[in-house]
């Protein structure tokens, strides 16, 4: 079973951009098919996502912690117009976060959702792929 999450930090950023959970879900479907923009190592990948009215090229970049299988965590995002990329120290921090998130058990993930540290991205049609 594929599980997709977003961190509290990512959710706050997402609200400013008008991104939707549907967009995140679609991005994961693309990544499962191998459409990843960059593998940054340490369980972190970069994926471009379209912003409403701007498309992917002028849209946002998301950094996702993943095992490229059944766990996907949206941990950081930025608009292309705000910055070109992330710094090396930011990548190191994100790789540490990725390692911690990917090591969690299903029960620990459920607890993180319950206490609000993570939010699970769900759609009714998600399991009909």
């Amino acid at each position: 079973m594929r599980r997709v999450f977003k961190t509290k930090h990512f959710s706050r950023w997402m609200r400013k951009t008008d991104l939707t959970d549907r967009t995140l879900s679609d991005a994961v479907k693309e990544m499962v098919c191998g459409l990843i923009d960059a593998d940054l190592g340490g369980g972190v990948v970069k994926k471009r996502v379209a912003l409403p009215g701007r498309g992917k090229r002028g849209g946002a970049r998301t950094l996702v912690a993943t095992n490229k299988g059944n766990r996907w965590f949206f941990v950081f995002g930025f608009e292309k117009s705000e910055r070109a990329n992330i710094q090396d120290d930011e990548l190191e921090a994100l790789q540490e976060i990725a390692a911690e998130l990917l090591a969690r058990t299903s029960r620990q993930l459920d607890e993180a959702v319950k206490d609000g540290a993570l939010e699970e991205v769900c759609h009714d049609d998600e399991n009909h792929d």
Side-chain angles (χ1 to χ4, degrees):
M1 178 175 94
R2 187 181 326 147
R3 295 187 76 182
V4 180
F5 302 91
K6 55 187 174 181
T7 63
K8 189 185 305 188
H9 172 80
F10 187 89
S11 290
R12 279 194 300 267
W13 171 80
M14 194 174 138
R15 283 191 292 274
K16 294 187 286 183
T17 64
D18 293 326
L19 278 178
T20 64
D21 284 354
R22 161 61 64 205
T23 302
L24 300 183
S25 182
D26 290 345
V28 169
K29 288 175 187 175
E30 289 179 5
M31 288 186 285
V32 166
C33 293
L35 299 174
I36 293 172
D37 295 306
D39 187 334
L40 304 178
V44 179
V45 298
K46 181 172 21 173
K47 177 67 176 162
R48 288 182 288 183
V49 293
L51 292 174
R54 288 195 259 173
K56 286 185 184 180
R57 180 172 282 183
R61 307 301 181 255
T62 61
L63 298 178
V64 183
T66 182
N67 61 5
K68 296 182 186 170
N70 62 350
R71 291 193 176 177
W72 303 83
F73 300 88
F74 286 85
V75 293
F76 190 75
F78 58 94
E79 289 188 50
K80 185 179 176 189
S81 60
E82 291 175 359
R83 62 193 295 176
N85 215 333
I86 61 169
Q87 303 296 318
D88 289 343
D89 59 334
E90 292 173 311
L91 176 57
E92 286 179 29
L94 290 170
Q95 288 170 332
E96 290 174 16
I97 292 168
E100 189 273 323
L101 289 171
L102 293 167
R104 291 187 182 187
T105 65
S106 289
R107 177 173 284 160
Q108 289 170 323
L109 292 173
D110 292 340
E111 289 171 7
V113 169
K114 188 175 180 181
D115 72 18
L118 292 175
E119 188 176 326
E120 195 153 11
V121 177
C122 298
H123 288 287
D124 294 338
D125 62 339
E126 190 170 271
N127 297 319
H128 298 299
D129 293 339

